[in-house]
Amino acid sequence: MTIDSGKIKELESRVGVEEKPLVYEIEKGMIKRFARAIGDPNPLWQNEEYGVKAGYGGIIASLNFVLTLGFGKILQDLISDPEITVLHGSTELENYKEIRPGDVITVTNKIRNIRERQGSTGKMLFVTIEMVYKNQKKELVAECRQMTIIY
Amino acid sequence: MAVGKQLYYEDVVEGSNITQLIKQPTTTQLVMWAGASGDYNAIHYDKDYALKQGLPGVIVHGQLAGAFLGQMLTDWVGDKGNISKLSLSYKGKNFPGEALTCQGKVIKKYIEENQHLVTLRIWAENPGEEKTLTGTAVVRLPSKSDT
C-alpha cells in the first residue's frame, strides 16, 4: 500500500513536462448530467429558453464543470496502481469564460511540483498539477491547479 | 437566491453571511458524480476497496463537495454575477448519508478595473460542525450604476 521509489522517480521526471493535450467536445447532455449529479436545479445549466432570456444564448456549464474536464484521466495516467491511494488536497481555479454546448475544450496539463513527506506507513507525495483550458477559438477559458496526495 | 432575482454590488455588506445551502449526498449521488465527472477512483463507490485503503467506508468526492460550494455561490450571485476565482482545501472526509452545510461570509467588496468584486470565505461543515472543506472565492457582480 505504499508508493515505491521507482514510481516516485518516474513522477519526478515528468515535472514541468507538458503532457499530450486532451480534447473534449462539449455536449448539452454532459452539461445537464453534470448539474443533475450535483443536484443543482439552477435553470442556467438546464433550460435553453431561460439561458437565452438571461443573455447567455442558451444553457452554459456550471462553475465546477471545467474542473472535471480531463482530471480523472490525468489522475489515472499518473497512478494506475489500485494499491496506491490518491486523495485530493486542494483546488485553485481562475475562471475566464463560460463553457457552452458545441465548445471544443483543449486541456493541457503538466506536473508543477512534487513534495515528498514521510508518513506513518510510508512516503506521501503532494503532487500539484497545472491545467490550462482553451476553447476552439483559442480563447483562455480557465486555469487551474490541483494538488493531490498520493501514498 | 431565487431564480430571476439579481444581487447587486451595492446590496453586499462586508462581514455578512451569504445564504447557506444544505446538501445530503447519497451513495447514488456519488455514482452519478463518478459518471458525470469521469473520476472513477473506487474509494467513492466500492466499500471493500475503501476499507482496504484504510478508510471507514466510501467517501464523498472532494470535487463534488466543491461543486456544492459552487452551487451555493452561483445561487448567491444570480444570473448576472459570476465567479472569477475559487480556491478549495479538502480538509476532511465527508460520508454519504451525512449532511453538508455550505456557508460563506463576505470578507470585502472592492472595485478594480471597473469591475465590482467581492471576496468571500467559504466552507462546508459536517454534522459534527467540522469544516471539512474550506476556501475562498472572488465573485463579480453587476452594479446598479451599470447602464
Side-chain angles (χ1 to χ4, degrees):
Chain A
M1 250 223 292
T2 54
I3 186 156
D4 63 42
S5 56
K7 185 64 190 172
I8 294 175
K9 276 217 177 75
E10 186 226 306
L11 290 174
E12 279 171 345
S13 73
R14 286 161 66 177
V15 173
V17 181
E18 202 161 282
E19 303 286 336
K20 195 167 166 277
L22 301 166
V23 180
Y24 295 89
E25 289 180 34
I26 310 303
E27 296 152 8
K28 243 178 237 180
M30 285 165 77
I31 291 174
K32 292 185 180 184
R33 198 157 53 237
F34 186 81
R36 276 203 301 271
I38 302 165
D40 183 346
N42 194 324
L44 283 179
W45 345 123
Q46 311 260 12
N47 184 322
E48 203 67 31
E49 241 170 82
Y50 187 91
V52 172
K53 276 191 197 138
Y56 292 103
I59 66 164
I60 54 171
S62 59
L63 172 67
N64 300 66
F65 179 84
V66 69
L67 292 171
T68 62
L69 290 178
F71 189 51
K73 167 96 172 82
I74 290 164
L75 285 185
Q76 274 164 24
D77 290 349
L78 213 60
I79 300 288
S80 52
D81 184 347
E83 295 297 310
I84 295 173
T85 304
V86 179
L87 297 175
H88 207 161
S90 65
T91 299
E92 275 176 63
L93 171 70
E94 295 204 46
N95 196 26
Y96 304 112
K97 216 173 165 43
E98 293 97 27
I99 294 179
R100 56 187 71 245
D103 276 355
V104 180
I105 305 293
T106 301
V107 187
T108 49
N109 78 92
K110 60 183 173 215
I111 299 177
R112 186 186 167 83
N113 62 58
I114 299 177
R115 285 183 293 128
E116 225 178 274
R117 201 176 290 173
Q118 193 63 42
S120 52
T121 55
K123 281 202 169 127
M124 288 178 99
L125 296 187
F126 296 78
V127 179
T128 302
I129 304 162
E130 201 169 71
M131 274 156 276
V132 178
Y133 313 84
K134 287 187 178 164
N135 66 16
Q136 66 282 10
K137 296 174 198 155
K138 309 262 185 260
E139 295 166 324
L140 190 58
V141 168
E143 290 177 285
C144 169
R145 278 181 211 168
Q146 298 274 20
M147 195 269 280
T148 57
I149 304 160
I150 299 172
Y151 60 94
Chain B
M1 173 137 308
V3 166
K5 193 162 170 260
Q6 183 57 53
L7 178 74
Y8 288 91
Y9 180 76
E10 290 77 5
D11 302 327
V12 176
V13 178
E14 288 182 351
S16 62
N17 292 316
I18 71 169
T19 312
Q20 65 175 38
L21 175 73
I22 299 173
K23 301 293 282 188
Q24 300 274 0
T26 60
T27 46
T28 306
Q29 183 167 29
L30 301 193
V31 174
M32 287 171 74
W33 175 264
S37 72
D39 180 347
Y40 304 128
N41 189 334
I43 58 173
H44 305 296
Y45 53 84
D46 182 339
K47 191 177 176 188
D48 292 342
Y49 178 75
L51 293 174
K52 230 179 101 195
Q53 299 294 308
L55 297 164
V58 296
I59 60 172
V60 175
H61 301 76
Q63 294 232 101
L64 174 57
F68 293 160
L69 288 180
Q71 180 183 349
M72 171 186 72
L73 288 170
T74 48
D75 280 354
W76 187 64
V77 302
D79 295 349
K80 292 192 172 72
N82 57 50
I83 286 80
S84 314
K85 286 186 192 174
L86 180 68
S87 303
L88 301 167
S89 275
Y90 308 95
K91 301 277 188 196
K93 296 169 186 73
N94 295 301
F95 300 96
E98 284 186 0
L100 260 184
T101 306
C102 301
Q103 297 172 76
K105 193 184 182 78
V106 175
I107 300 303
K108 65 169 184 170
K109 54 187 274 187
Y110 56 104
I111 300 171
E112 202 176 83
E113 292 170 3
N114 263 335
Q115 299 193 85
H116 294 79
L117 305 173
V118 177
T119 303
L120 299 130
R121 198 157 57 79
I122 53 174
W123 67 96
E125 269 180 30
N126 69 13
E129 290 179 14
E130 192 190 340
K131 293 184 172 68
T132 53
L133 178 57
T134 62
T136 56
V138 178
V139 309
R140 196 162 52 218
L141 292 175
S143 162
K144 286 177 180 165
S145 64
D146 291 346
T147 47

Coordinates of all heavy atoms in Angstrom, one line a residue, chain A residues 43-79:
Chain A
P43 N -31.7 26.9 -13.5 CA -32.0 26.7 -14.9 C -31.0 27.2 -15.9 O -31.1 26.8 -17.1 CB -33.3 27.6 -15.0 CG -33.3 28.5 -13.9 CD -32.5 27.9 -12.8
L44 N -30.0 27.9 -15.4 CA -28.9 28.3 -16.4 C -28.2 27.1 -17.0 O -27.7 27.2 -18.1 CB -27.9 29.2 -15.7 CG -28.2 30.6 -15.4 CD1 -27.0 31.3 -14.6 CD2 -28.5 31.4 -16.6
W45 N -28.1 26.0 -16.2 CA -27.5 24.8 -16.7 C -28.4 23.8 -17.4 O -28.0 22.7 -17.8 CB -26.6 24.1 -15.7 CG -26.3 24.8 -14.4 CD1 -26.7 24.4 -13.1 CD2 -25.6 26.0 -14.2 NE1 -26.2 25.2 -12.2 CE2 -25.6 26.3 -12.8 CE3 -25.0 26.9 -15.1 CZ2 -24.9 27.4 -12.3 CZ3 -24.4 28.0 -14.5 CH2 -24.4 28.3 -13.2
Q46 N -29.7 24.1 -17.4 CA -30.7 23.1 -17.8 C -31.7 23.6 -18.9 O -32.1 22.8 -19.7 CB -31.5 22.7 -16.6 CG -30.8 22.3 -15.4 CD -30.6 20.8 -15.2 OE1 -30.9 20.1 -16.1 NE2 -30.2 20.4 -14.0
N47 N -32.0 24.9 -18.8 CA -33.2 25.3 -19.6 C -32.7 26.3 -20.7 O -32.3 27.5 -20.4 CB -34.1 26.0 -18.6 CG -35.4 26.5 -19.2 OD1 -35.4 26.9 -20.4 ND2 -36.5 26.3 -18.5
E48 N -32.8 25.9 -21.9 CA -32.4 26.6 -23.1 C -33.0 28.0 -23.1 O -32.3 29.0 -23.3 CB -32.8 25.8 -24.3 CG -32.0 26.1 -25.5 CD -30.5 25.6 -25.4 OE1 -30.3 24.6 -24.7 OE2 -29.7 26.3 -26.0
E49 N -34.3 28.0 -23.0 CA -35.1 29.3 -23.1 C -34.6 30.3 -22.0 O -34.4 31.5 -22.3 CB -36.5 29.0 -22.9 CG -37.4 29.4 -24.1 CD -38.8 28.8 -23.8 OE1 -39.6 29.5 -23.1 OE2 -39.1 27.7 -24.3
Y50 N -34.4 29.7 -20.8 CA -34.0 30.6 -19.7 C -32.6 31.2 -20.0 O -32.4 32.4 -19.7 CB -34.0 29.7 -18.4 CG -33.7 30.6 -17.2 CD1 -34.8 31.1 -16.4 CD2 -32.4 30.8 -16.7 CE1 -34.5 31.9 -15.3 CE2 -32.2 31.6 -15.6 CZ -33.2 32.1 -14.9 OH -33.0 32.9 -13.8
G51 N -31.8 30.4 -20.5 CA -30.4 30.8 -20.8 C -30.4 31.9 -21.9 O -29.6 32.9 -21.8
V52 N -31.3 31.8 -22.8 CA -31.5 32.9 -23.8 C -31.9 34.2 -23.2 O -31.3 35.3 -23.3 CB -32.5 32.5 -24.9 CG1 -32.8 33.6 -25.9 CG2 -31.9 31.3 -25.7
K53 N -33.0 34.1 -22.3 CA -33.5 35.3 -21.6 C -32.5 35.9 -20.7 O -32.4 37.1 -20.5 CB -34.7 34.9 -20.8 CG -36.0 34.9 -21.6 CD -37.2 34.7 -20.8 CE -38.4 34.3 -21.6 NZ -39.2 33.3 -20.9
A54 N -31.6 35.1 -20.1 CA -30.6 35.6 -19.2 C -29.4 36.2 -19.9 O -28.5 36.7 -19.3 CB -30.1 34.5 -18.3
G55 N -29.4 36.1 -21.3 CA -28.4 36.7 -22.1 C -27.2 35.8 -22.4 O -26.2 36.3 -22.9
Y56 N -27.3 34.5 -22.2 CA -26.2 33.6 -22.5 C -26.4 32.9 -23.8 O -25.6 32.0 -24.2 CB -26.0 32.6 -21.3 CG -25.6 33.3 -20.0 CD1 -26.4 33.5 -19.0 CD2 -24.2 33.7 -19.9 CE1 -26.0 34.1 -17.8 CE2 -23.8 34.3 -18.8 CZ -24.6 34.5 -17.7 OH -24.2 35.1 -16.6
G57 N -27.5 33.1 -24.4 CA -27.7 32.5 -25.7 C -28.1 31.0 -25.7 O -28.2 30.3 -26.7
G58 N -28.4 30.5 -24.5 CA -28.7 29.1 -24.3 C -28.1 28.6 -23.0 O -27.6 29.4 -22.2
I59 N -28.1 27.3 -22.7 CA -27.5 26.8 -21.5 C -26.0 27.0 -21.5 O -25.3 27.0 -22.5 CB -27.9 25.4 -21.1 CG1 -27.3 24.4 -22.1 CG2 -29.4 25.2 -21.0 CD1 -27.3 22.9 -21.6
I60 N -25.5 27.1 -20.3 CA -24.0 27.2 -20.1 C -23.6 26.1 -19.0 O -24.5 25.7 -18.3 CB -23.5 28.6 -19.7 CG1 -24.2 29.1 -18.4 CG2 -23.6 29.5 -20.8 CD1 -23.7 30.3 -17.8
A61 N -22.4 25.8 -18.9 CA -21.9 24.8 -17.9 C -21.8 25.5 -16.6 O -21.4 26.6 -16.5 CB -20.6 24.2 -18.3
S62 N -22.1 24.7 -15.5 CA -22.0 25.3 -14.2 C -20.5 25.5 -13.8 O -19.6 24.9 -14.4 CB -22.8 24.4 -13.1 OG -22.3 23.1 -13.1
L63 N -20.3 26.2 -12.8 CA -18.9 26.7 -12.4 C -17.9 25.5 -12.3 O -16.8 25.6 -12.9 CB -19.0 27.4 -11.0 CG -17.7 27.7 -10.3 CD1 -17.0 28.8 -11.1 CD2 -18.0 28.2 -8.9
N64 N -18.2 24.4 -11.6 CA -17.2 23.4 -11.4 C -17.0 22.4 -12.5 O -16.2 21.5 -12.4 CB -17.6 22.6 -10.1 CG -17.7 23.6 -8.9 OD1 -18.5 24.4 -8.8 ND2 -16.8 23.4 -7.9
F65 N -17.8 22.5 -13.6 CA -17.8 21.6 -14.7 C -16.3 21.5 -15.3 O -15.8 20.4 -15.5 CB -18.7 22.1 -15.8 CG -18.8 21.3 -17.0 CD1 -19.5 20.1 -17.1 CD2 -18.0 21.6 -18.2 CE1 -19.6 19.4 -18.3 CE2 -18.0 20.9 -19.3 CZ -18.8 19.7 -19.4
V66 N -15.7 22.7 -15.5 CA -14.4 22.7 -16.1 C -13.4 21.9 -15.3 O -12.5 21.3 -15.9 CB -14.0 24.2 -16.3 CG1 -13.7 24.9 -15.0 CG2 -12.8 24.3 -17.2
L67 N -13.6 21.9 -14.0 CA -12.6 21.2 -13.1 C -12.6 19.7 -13.4 O -11.6 19.0 -13.0 CB -12.9 21.5 -11.6 CG -12.7 22.9 -11.2 CD1 -13.3 23.1 -9.8 CD2 -11.2 23.2 -11.2
T68 N -13.6 19.2 -13.9 CA -13.6 17.7 -14.2 C -13.1 17.4 -15.6 O -12.9 16.2 -15.8 CB -15.1 17.2 -14.0 OG1 -15.9 17.8 -15.0 CG2 -15.6 17.5 -12.6
L69 N -13.0 18.4 -16.4 CA -12.5 18.0 -17.8 C -11.1 17.5 -17.7 O -10.1 18.3 -17.4 CB -12.6 19.2 -18.7 CG -14.0 19.7 -19.1 CD1 -13.9 20.9 -20.0 CD2 -14.8 18.6 -19.8
G70 N -10.9 16.3 -18.0 CA -9.6 15.7 -18.1 C -9.0 15.3 -16.7 O -8.0 14.5 -16.7
F71 N -9.6 15.7 -15.6 CA -8.9 15.5 -14.3 C -8.8 14.0 -14.0 O -7.8 13.5 -13.6 CB -9.6 16.3 -13.2 CG -8.9 16.3 -11.9 CD1 -7.5 16.6 -11.8 CD2 -9.5 15.9 -10.7 CE1 -6.8 16.6 -10.6 CE2 -8.8 15.9 -9.5 CZ -7.5 16.2 -9.5
G72 N -9.9 13.3 -14.1 CA -10.0 11.9 -13.9 C -8.9 11.1 -14.7 O -8.2 10.3 -14.2
K73 N -8.9 11.5 -16.0 CA -8.0 10.8 -16.9 C -6.5 11.1 -16.6 O -5.7 10.3 -16.6 CB -8.3 11.3 -18.3 CG -7.3 11.1 -19.4 CD -7.7 9.8 -20.2 CE -6.8 9.6 -21.4 NZ -5.5 8.9 -21.1
I74 N -6.3 12.4 -16.2 CA -4.9 12.8 -15.8 C -4.5 12.0 -14.6 O -3.3 11.5 -14.6 CB -4.9 14.3 -15.6 CG1 -5.0 15.1 -16.9 CG2 -3.6 14.7 -14.9 CD1 -5.4 16.6 -16.8
L75 N -5.4 11.9 -13.6 CA -5.0 11.1 -12.4 C -4.7 9.6 -12.7 O -3.8 9.0 -12.2 CB -6.1 11.2 -11.4 CG -6.2 12.5 -10.6 CD1 -7.3 12.4 -9.5 CD2 -4.9 13.0 -10.0
Q76 N -5.6 9.1 -13.6 CA -5.4 7.7 -14.0 C -4.1 7.5 -14.7 O -3.4 6.5 -14.5 CB -6.5 7.2 -14.9 CG -7.7 6.7 -14.1 CD -9.0 6.6 -15.0 OE1 -8.9 6.5 -16.2 NE2 -10.1 6.7 -14.4
D77 N -3.7 8.4 -15.5 CA -2.4 8.3 -16.2 C -1.2 8.5 -15.3 O -0.2 7.9 -15.5 CB -2.3 9.4 -17.3 CG -3.3 9.1 -18.5 OD1 -3.8 8.0 -18.5 OD2 -3.4 10.0 -19.3
L78 N -1.5 9.2 -14.2 CA -0.5 9.4 -13.2 C -0.3 8.2 -12.4 O 0.9 7.7 -12.2 CB -0.9 10.6 -12.3 CG 0.1 11.5 -11.7 CD1 0.9 12.2 -12.8 CD2 -0.6 12.6 -10.8
I79 N -1.4 7.6 -11.9 CA -1.3 6.5 -10.9 C -2.3 5.5 -11.4 O -3.5 5.7 -11.3 CB -1.7 6.9 -9.5 CG1 -0.7 8.0 -9.0 CG2 -1.8 5.7 -8.6 CD1 0.7 7.5 -8.7

